[in-house]
Amino acid sequence: MNAQRRQVIAGLAAATMAAGVPLAAFAQKKKIVLGFSQIGAESEWRTANTESIKSAAKEAGIELKFSDAQQKQENQIKAIRSFIAQRVDVIAFSPVVESGWETVLREAKAAGIPVILTDRAVNVKDDSLWVTFMGSDFLEEGRKAGRWLVEKMKDVKGDVNIVELQGTVGSAPAIDRKRGFEEIIKTDPKFKIIRSQTGDFTRAKGKEVMEAFLKAEGRKINVLYAHNDDMAIGAIQAIEEAGLKPAQDIIIISIDAVKGAFEAMMAGKLNVTVECSPLLGPQLMQAVKDLMAGKTLPKRIVTEEGIFPMEVAAKEFPNRKY
Ligand code: AHR
């Protein structure tokens, strides 16, 4: 709620209370307006995330102004400015990249509109520019992927050559998943990342970049580490087209745990996926309501997640919600 609106409401609330009308009854009349800037529709994960936010807003009776940025930061900045101009009560967004948000977040703060970060973090000096950040611990996801590989390869004596498909350049998950994974594998010098390139979190780019990796390195590749399932699924196609067996000739590790990954695991083509839950909608709507009720939110709300190797895929599949 912006400063002006808060003042008007405070005044009205005081007047209604003085007239004997309970504050709760007064508060019920106003529908909360939430402006949400989504990154795009680059992956199965993102589609599930959008669906979760839209359905949770409906369920919570919150008016949602939804904007799709098509993976461009400039579109997200435009959307946030438009939310400010429309004087929404709360702004939430999933930032496509980490840096470059200072100016627009200062504008939101000056307008008295609280900002919630969902899924991805921003890199700004002044933490008061956002209220809370809810989402996964990407660093830990990278570590989980690394730990799984170290255990899987513990008896291997020679070099383990890894190719890496990174997420969107400059995005929080790409930075942290790389860092977390490297932190673990560097404990044993046999693990070598021989190629690393962005696949922008999409299937098409994942396939394209994997084709290039295979052309350059061929059978030298022992492991593929993909920062999301979509890129891994694209890469699986490239591996098969090159006449190799995914998950056998090349061990494949990815992140998200979307249904597509479970299908790939059940078909014996993907070894493991680390969970990253997109179902942030209900949590976000609760946070919006809490904010509007004047509650203080924790600065960080971390999503609890697991890891699913191919051996448990068939058993887990019926429980998957995305
Ligand atoms: O920010 C979360 C990441 O973004 C997911 O892992 C990826 O699939 C999505 O596009």
Side-chain angles (χ1 to χ4, degrees):
M1 191 180 326
N2 62 57
Q4 216 177 356
R5 201 149 165 189
R6 223 178 274 137
Q7 248 179 0
V8 173
I9 290 183
L12 284 170
T16 49
M17 282 206 291
V21 180
L23 184 58
F26 165 78
Q28 265 170 15
K29 295 216 170 87
K30 191 202 162 276
K31 205 167 186 188
I32 301 170
V33 183
L34 168 68
F36 185 84
S37 167
Q38 179 61 289
I39 290 176
E42 75 282 5
S43 60
E44 207 177 316
W45 189 101
R46 190 66 52 197
T47 308
N49 181 244
T50 294
E51 164 52 28
S52 170
I53 285 160
K54 286 186 174 170
S55 57
K58 208 167 171 193
E59 175 93 355
I62 289 175
E63 185 184 331
L64 178 68
K65 292 184 184 293
F66 184 90
S67 173
D68 177 336
Q70 300 181 340
Q71 277 190 283
K72 291 200 175 80
Q73 183 177 31
E74 70 215 61
N75 290 345
Q76 288 202 291
I77 292 175
K78 264 190 220 155
I80 294 170
R81 290 207 166 114
S82 143
F83 295 148
I84 297 171
Q86 293 173 66
R87 314 192 77 75
V88 300
D89 296 313
V90 180
I91 292 174
F93 78 117
S94 179
V96 61
V97 290
E98 278 190 335
S99 54
W101 300 103
E102 239 106 8
T103 309
V104 73
L105 291 183
R106 256 188 253 119
E107 291 168 23
K109 191 177 177 184
I113 303 176
V115 174
I116 298 177
L117 305 174
T118 72
D119 162 36
R120 297 187 185 179
V122 294
N123 188 357
V124 292
K125 284 203 188 92
D126 178 2
D127 276 0
S128 76
L129 295 177
W130 49 275
V131 178
T132 185
F133 163 39
M134 62 180 61
S136 309
D137 181 342
F138 297 137
L139 201 62
E140 191 50 31
E141 289 172 353
R143 290 188 190 122
K144 280 182 189 157
R147 284 188 206 112
W148 183 89
L149 181 65
V150 168
E151 174 61 24
K152 171 96 181 159
M153 298 290 193
K154 64 175 189 278
D155 297 327
V156 173
K157 294 281 176 275
D159 284 353
V160 175
N161 294 321
I162 304 165
V163 294
E164 179 182 30
L165 282 169
Q166 294 183 40
T168 302
V169 177
S171 68
I175 295 167
D176 290 349
R177 287 172 185 170
K178 180 168 185 53
R179 210 152 53 92
F181 183 75
E182 283 176 356
E183 189 188 293
I184 301 297
I185 61 159
K186 78 172 183 218
T187 54
D188 187 336
K190 76 180 178 194
F191 293 108
K192 297 190 165 46
I193 298 183
I194 56 169
R195 300 257 160 185
S196 181
Q197 207 177 307
T198 181
D200 211 10
F201 282 131
T202 68
R203 278 185 200 204
K205 288 245 177 75
K207 179 169 190 273
E208 189 186 307
V209 177
M210 190 67 204
E211 280 166 358
F213 286 164
L214 286 162
K215 219 175 198 178
E217 305 291 349
R219 286 196 161 261
K220 252 178 85 182
I221 303 170
N222 307 119
V223 175
L224 162 66
Y225 169 45
H227 289 191
N228 82 342
D229 291 336
D230 282 74
M231 292 189 294
I233 292 166
I236 287 170
Q237 271 182 43
I239 293 168
E240 288 182 316
E241 281 169 24
L244 297 173
K245 288 205 173 67
Q248 291 180 35
D249 296 327
I250 299 177
I251 299 295
I252 308 176
I253 308 165
S254 70
I255 297 182
D256 276 356
V258 295
K259 281 190 178 162
F262 277 78
E263 280 156 6
M265 288 195 289
M266 289 188 293
K269 296 179 181 185
L270 174 70
N271 298 84
V272 65
T273 182
V274 175
E275 189 177 32
C276 175
S277 176
L279 307 179
L280 299 174
Q283 230 173 356
L284 172 60
M285 299 313 148
Q286 189 55 52
V288 169
K289 283 184 170 174
D290 287 350
L291 258 186
M292 297 301 291
K295 292 189 191 159
T296 307
L297 299 179
K299 201 72 185 167
R300 181 75 172 100
I301 303 169
V302 184
T303 318
E304 294 290 317
E305 289 152 342
I307 174 165
F308 302 99
M310 68 188 336
E311 294 75 17
V312 304
K315 190 167 166 260
E316 277 300 322
F317 187 66
N319 305 326
R320 301 308 294 166
K321 296 203 168 53
Y322 59 93

